[in-house]
Amino acid sequence: MQAVLSPSFVASGSFRKKQFLLNCLNAQPSRPLASAASTPTACRQGVVPRLPQLLTASPVQHLGRGSCVVTSASAANLPAEQPKLNWKLPVYIFLWYAFNIIFNIINKSTLNTFPCPWFIGTWQLIASGLFMVVLWLTRLHPTPSVDAKFFAALLPVALFHTVGHIAAVVSFSQMAVSFAHIVKSAEPVFSVALSGPLLGVSYPWYVWASLLPIVAGCSLSAMKEVSFAWNGFNNAMISNLGMVLRNIYSKKSLNDYKHIDGINLFGLISFASLLYCLPAALVLESGTWQAAWQAAATKAGQKATLQLLLWGGVFYHLYNQLSYMVLDQGISPVTFSVGNTMKRVAVVVSSVMFFRNPVSPLNWAGSFIAIAGTYLYSLATDRFTAEKKKAAAAEKKQQ
């Protein structure tokens, strides 16, 4: 049956309503829908007044005599939006890898030339803080809004960050970069062991099982490591302990400050860490700085040594900032874990090639077993997190 608009549809009130609907849709008609004189006649003859194209694209529903409803256009008629290619993610990952490799090579070269790890570690924190000041002053990155309460919560986090950072630099000064990174891949062991007593988190068996290849791989690597030194090994383990405690206390102390992004948080931690690192460096190592500097100037030249220090500080900040920029691209924890695992492989291989460290087949086997173990650990913890969320959702649904 042909739909017929009743004369009441074109009454003055209905006409104003249609004009209002057109204005809301940003469609300005070139002429009125129908004049007050002609419309009733057209309706009596069974002719539907022609509506503008914007309205005729939507179905017209007649609910009864004298009523008419115009619905919105079907979403199926709209062209599907093509997903945009995220070119930033591969670029950021490449720069993250490149900056990390460059930093490790420069850092080890600086330690070989100027063997003062406390001085170098402290300078890297200063350089990172200065880098953030430049970003804030130039408004290339938003300035964080913090208060005294935040800094009070930040102090324990900064303390453990200082321990982890300085112990790593000392470890790199005592043995090969490649082996130090293999030992540092054992960080998940400390994380699982300490999360129970400090955070009350009890991990299932498969998370504990994922730690076995990490321990086995580190043990195999140490058996035939030419540069193995107990002091270097112990400092690498202390670094693992410090970084795990930093992460744990970040969850406990900074849970109310999630508005501060990762890049700003890293910069603020660098500033706060200087409260611990600088006095300790002056007390423990300042007596050797002058003699070490003179030896470095004689061996490599003052300009070359200064350049190593400068670029070491710059790339220390850049590779840390790029890691947060990769996370900000919205990738999953598993994807980031894969990227972090492959980054460690790239650092180990590049450092062996650059410094030409002798590596036995057993070293290589143990290295890759330990690195693969860190990836298995990431998968296990992600599975555990997903199961916890699923159980919490089911419990909430039952209530």
Side-chain angles (χ1 to χ4, degrees):
M1 180 183 297
Q2 183 180 6
V4 179
L5 294 179
S6 64
S8 61
F9 175 77
V10 294
S12 177
S14 298
F15 182 78
R16 286 196 299 270
K17 291 179 181 178
K18 293 193 65 177
Q19 290 284 17
F20 175 76
L21 178 59
L22 285 170
N23 292 335
C24 292
L25 296 173
N26 294 323
Q28 299 295 336
S30 58
R31 62 181 183 273
L33 297 178
S35 64
S38 62
T39 303
T41 304
C43 289
R44 283 194 298 270
Q45 294 176 356
V47 179
V48 179
R50 185 174 182 179
L51 301 178
Q53 187 176 359
L54 180 61
L55 286 180
T56 56
S58 305
V60 181
Q61 299 178 358
H62 300 277
L63 303 180
R65 180 176 180 84
S67 62
C68 179
V69 177
V70 181
T71 63
S72 60
S74 173
N77 296 330
L78 299 176
E81 184 178 354
Q82 297 295 330
K84 295 181 179 179
L85 178 65
N86 185 8
W87 59 268
K88 292 183 179 181
L89 181 59
V91 172
Y92 288 169
I93 291 177
F94 173 79
L95 293 176
W96 179 31
Y97 281 32
F99 291 161
N100 203 319
I101 291 171
I102 294 171
F103 164 74
N104 279 278
I105 291 174
I106 292 177
N107 188 49
K108 182 61 176 179
S109 300
T110 309
L111 289 166
N112 289 339
T113 304
F114 182 62
C116 297
W118 279 89
F119 179 95
I120 293 173
T122 303
W123 157 245
Q124 289 167 355
L125 293 175
I126 294 173
S128 185
L130 292 176
F131 204 107
M132 289 304 303
V133 170
V134 172
L135 293 181
W136 293 331
L137 291 178
T138 57
R139 297 185 179 181
L140 293 175
H141 196 78
T143 305
S145 177
V146 297
D147 52 18
K149 185 178 179 181
F150 167 78
F151 274 104
L154 189 66
L155 287 178
V157 179
L159 172 61
F160 293 117
H161 178 78
T162 303
V163 173
H165 172 61
I166 293 297
V169 179
V170 174
S171 175
F172 290 141
S173 71
Q174 295 170 332
M175 58 186 183
V177 174
S178 56
F179 182 63
H181 274 282
I182 297 305
V183 178
K184 282 182 64 61
S185 67
E187 184 177 314
V189 177
F190 291 90
S191 180
V192 174
L194 295 177
S195 293
L198 295 179
L199 291 178
V201 178
S202 179
Y203 286 102
W205 67 269
Y206 54 82
V207 174
W208 287 96
S210 67
L211 302 177
L212 295 177
I214 299 177
V215 176
C218 290
S219 301
L220 286 175
S221 296
M223 289 175 64
K224 293 293 183 179
E225 176 58 39
V226 176
S227 68
F228 180 84
W230 277 111
N231 287 337
F233 178 85
N234 291 336
N235 279 303
M237 285 297 187
I238 292 173
S239 176
N240 288 338
L241 178 62
M243 289 305 181
V244 167
L245 289 174
R246 180 199 66 175
N247 296 337
I248 290 175
Y249 277 89
S250 292
K251 295 178 181 179
K252 295 183 66 174
S253 304
L254 303 178
N255 197 42
D256 296 332
Y257 301 95
K258 294 182 179 180
H259 63 282
I260 300 178
D261 61 59
I263 296 176
N264 277 333
L265 181 60
F266 178 74
L268 294 170
I269 289 177
S270 297
F271 277 117
S273 296
L274 289 173
L275 297 175
Y276 305 105
C277 191
L278 184 57
L282 291 172
V283 171
L284 298 175
E285 197 182 66
S286 61
T288 64
W289 290 349
Q290 184 176 359
W293 178 258
Q294 291 176 353
T298 303
K299 179 180 179 180
Q302 291 188 0
K303 183 178 179 180
T305 306
L306 284 173
Q307 287 177 341
L308 285 174
L309 287 169
L310 173 63
W311 289 115
V314 170
F315 282 103
Y316 168 75
H317 176 83
L318 286 177
Y319 94 79
N320 279 289
Q321 178 171 333
L322 260 297
S323 67
Y324 290 106
M325 293 171 69
V326 170
L327 279 172
D328 287 342
Q329 294 305 303
I331 64 176
S332 67
V334 174
T335 302
F336 184 80
S337 297
V338 173
N340 197 35
T341 301
M342 297 310 298
K343 182 211 70 176
R344 196 176 293 278
V345 172
V347 169
V348 169
V349 173
S350 61
S351 64
V352 168
M353 294 174 63
F354 184 86
F355 295 107
R356 299 182 179 180
N357 300 323
V359 181
S360 68
L362 191 61
N363 286 130
W364 282 119
S367 300
F368 285 107
I369 290 174
I371 292 172
T374 61
Y375 174 61
L376 293 177
Y377 166 77
S378 300
L379 294 179
T381 52
D382 289 334
R383 174 187 169 185
F384 173 60
T385 302
E387 289 178 352
K388 283 181 62 179
K389 290 181 179 179
K390 185 177 179 180
E395 182 179 356
K396 185 177 180 181
K397 188 176 180 180
Q398 291 178 355
Q399 291 177 351

